[in-house]
């Protein structure tokens, strides 16, 4: 069984071929091609949806051709297509979905629409083999910060999610505030290594109220109370504001520039709080659900300090921690192919081609 994955939910056009050998053997990654649009959006300091959609259109055919040729397979060697249906930027999603449906119709191949976050979660099994379940998986990226309970293969139960910014978004905004480039995550990660994580006492986010903009329902263990829900949700906008106020004071409202050392300290102190917030909730959820392991996925899971601290805490508690490779952590199509293989293994054989891209698709 060989599946072609297609991903176009944000600003990378990606295609990949993943193979599922027989009888429960681990999935094999045959190729993974990612055309990044970072150079285009850098000029604007963030992703411009209309530019992203137009660039996907230019790139998709070449990216798919490259994925097939890197895998040394032709179309006849592909058994199904998995495509990101959502969530994401609708103009971007549409390009991947329309392409997948067109090839599906032309070649008579089944098309399996998948959720982008199911892809991030399945990147863990693609990279590490099947995880011991139940697992608690933190999906942490530029668009999402969500905690999932995975009781059995292919079942993802939302335990907590951010009520405002995603963690990656906070990295990108803080990088902008202190004059670093875009995207900010990898640069803050690097600068933080030289800084003192205790130089500035940024506040650790604590939620004191129930969510007034009730989002998707979350699943907590039996007996959980409202306070537990607050202890499972994330919030990063207050931390971002604290960094902004610190920078305003330190620079006398832009009258002077920050020194390199000051920037390093801000990055390290900000990152310490983000990591503590992410891991406190993740390890608490693992405890609630008697998880046998923890997984970290999504672009921010590429962060070196987050990985190191998760491994330290996991080792202290005898809880294995799984992460994807850096290439499989940021957006890619191999994880989408993996999520498609997961659905296939559960009996799905493709959907009628009248499904559409959905910007707010729920998992
Ligand atoms: O998963 P991803 O590629 O796209 C989304 O689905 O959002 O994640 C991109 C995000 C960006 O916000 C980027 O700054 C962040 O992941 N990121 C990092 C690192 N590498 C990427 N954040 C912290 N440390 C990193 N090393
Ligand atoms: Zn993503």
């Amino acid at each position: 069984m060989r599946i072609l994955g297609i991903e176009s939910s944000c600003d990378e056009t990606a295609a990949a071929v993943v193979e599922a050998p027989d009888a429960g053997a681990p999935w094999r990654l045959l190729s993974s091609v990612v055309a990044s649009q970072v150079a285009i959006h850098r000029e604007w300091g963030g992703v411009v949806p209309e530019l992203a959609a137009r660039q996907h259109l230019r790139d998709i055919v070449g990216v798919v051709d490259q994925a097939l040729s890197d895998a040394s397979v032709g179309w006849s060697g592909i058994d199904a297509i998995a495509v990101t249906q959502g969530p994401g930027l609708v103009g971007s999603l549409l390009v991947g979905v329309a392409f997948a449906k067109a090839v599906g119709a032309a070649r008579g191949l089944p098309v399996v629409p998948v959720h982008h976050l199911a892809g991030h979660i399945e990147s863990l099994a693609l990279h590490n083999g099947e995880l011991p379940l139940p697992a608690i998986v933190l999906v942490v990226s530029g668009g999402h910060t969500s905690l999932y309970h995975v009781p059995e293969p292919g079942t993802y139960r939302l335990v907590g999610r951010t009520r405002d910014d995603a963690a990656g978004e906070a990295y990108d905004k803080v990088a902008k505030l202190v004059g670093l480039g875009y995207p900010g995550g990898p640069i803050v990660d690097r600068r933080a290594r030289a800084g003192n994580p205790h130089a500035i006492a940024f506040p650790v986010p604590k939620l004191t109220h129930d969510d007034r903009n009730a989002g998707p329902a979350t699943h907590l263990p039996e007996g959980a109370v409202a306070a537990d829900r607050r202890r499972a949700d994330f919030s990063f906008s207050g931390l971002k504001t604290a960094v902004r106020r610190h920078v305003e004071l330190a620079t006398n409202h832009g009258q002077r520039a920050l020194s390199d050392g000051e920037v390093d300290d801000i990055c390290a102190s900000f990152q310490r709080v983000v990591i503590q917030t992410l891991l406190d909730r993740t390890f608490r959820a693992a405890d609630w659900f008697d998880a046998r392991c923890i997984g970290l996925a999504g672009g921010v899971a590429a962060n070196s300090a987050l990985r190191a601290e998760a491994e330290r805490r996991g080792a202290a508690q005898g809880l294995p921690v799984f992460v994807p490779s850096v290439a499989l952590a940021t957006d890619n199509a191999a994880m989408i192919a993996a999520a498609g293989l997961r659905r296939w293994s559960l009996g799905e054989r493709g959907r009628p081609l009248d499904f559409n891209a959905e910007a707010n698709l729920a998992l």
Side-chain angles (χ1 to χ4, degrees):
M1 173 72 197
R2 242 182 251 130
I3 195 160
L4 170 73
I6 295 176
E7 154 66 33
S8 69
S9 65
C10 189
D11 62 338
E12 359 258 359
T13 319
V17 180
V18 177
E19 185 174 76
D22 294 335
W27 296 328
R28 281 193 340 131
L29 176 58
L30 300 187
S31 67
S32 180
V33 177
V34 179
S36 167
Q37 303 177 1
V38 159
I40 294 169
H41 301 294
R42 180 172 287 134
E43 192 182 335
W44 309 92
V47 177
V48 183
E50 185 61 28
L51 294 181
R54 285 167 193 263
Q55 193 60 32
H56 284 305
L57 215 45
R58 288 184 198 104
D59 286 340
I60 185 95
V61 173
V63 165
V64 171
D65 278 347
Q66 189 67 45
L68 293 175
S69 114
D70 287 358
S72 305
V73 294
W75 281 108
S76 57
I78 298 295
D79 302 302
I81 301 169
V83 63
T84 307
Q85 183 184 12
L89 301 170
V90 77
S92 292
L93 288 164
L94 269 171
V95 176
V97 165
F99 183 91
K101 291 201 282 192
V103 179
R107 294 257 161 204
L109 290 171
V111 179
V112 181
V114 304
H115 193 285
H116 182 78
L117 297 193
H120 277 300
I121 294 171
E122 297 301 347
S123 73
L124 292 164
L126 178 59
H127 186 69
N128 300 287
E130 295 295 337
L131 305 189
L133 301 182
I136 287 291
V137 178
L138 173 69
V139 181
V140 62
S141 71
H144 305 273
T145 302
S146 300
L147 205 46
Y148 286 93
H149 171 215
V150 185
E152 56 211 33
T155 301
Y156 320 108
R157 292 209 183 104
L158 184 66
V159 174
R161 78 280 187 277
T162 182
R163 294 185 182 184
D164 40 62
D165 293 351
E169 196 180 349
Y171 267 98
D172 295 338
K173 287 177 178 167
V174 163
K176 211 172 185 173
L177 274 172
V178 297
L180 301 174
Y182 167 87
I187 312 173
V188 172
D189 186 356
R190 202 167 56 242
R191 296 293 295 259
R193 280 178 219 155
N196 171 7
H198 297 282
I200 306 151
F202 291 129
V204 176
K206 271 209 192 86
L207 296 174
T208 52
H209 293 82
D210 292 340
D211 192 354
R212 296 189 184 89
N213 317 303
T218 52
H219 303 263
L220 293 188
E222 229 165 285
V225 292
D228 292 326
R229 176 145 292 125
R230 294 199 293 271
R231 298 193 314 149
D233 279 351
F234 302 92
S235 165
F236 293 103
S237 69
L239 174 60
K240 178 190 65 191
T241 305
V243 174
R244 177 183 303 121
R245 294 207 45 207
H246 176 86
V247 171
E248 280 169 4
L249 285 176
T251 62
N252 195 11
H253 295 271
Q255 300 288 307
R256 71 167 191 90
L258 294 168
S259 71
D260 282 353
E262 283 173 313
V263 171
D264 294 345
D265 283 349
I266 291 171
C267 290
S269 301
F270 159 78
Q271 180 161 282
R272 176 182 55 80
V273 175
V274 172
I275 291 174
Q276 183 184 334
T277 307
L278 292 174
L279 294 183
D280 281 357
R281 284 156 176 72
T282 305
F283 278 80
R284 186 179 298 135
D287 200 28
W288 282 340
F289 290 97
D290 281 330
R292 292 176 60 208
C293 76
I294 278 177
L296 305 178
V300 181
N303 185 271
S304 57
L306 175 65
R307 287 171 176 242
E309 177 62 9
E311 260 149 41
R312 192 193 64 74
R313 288 196 193 197
Q317 299 188 20
L319 203 55
V321 173
F322 294 97
V323 293
S325 64
V326 170
L328 290 179
T330 50
D331 283 350
N332 66 87
M335 68 184 197
I336 300 305
L341 281 174
R342 177 69 70 202
R343 298 193 65 89
W344 197 271
S345 75
L346 297 170
E348 169 149 352
R349 291 296 177 266
R351 283 252 289 278
L353 297 183
D354 59 357
F355 73 89
N356 210 343
E358 285 192 33
N360 299 311
L361 186 67
L363 184 56

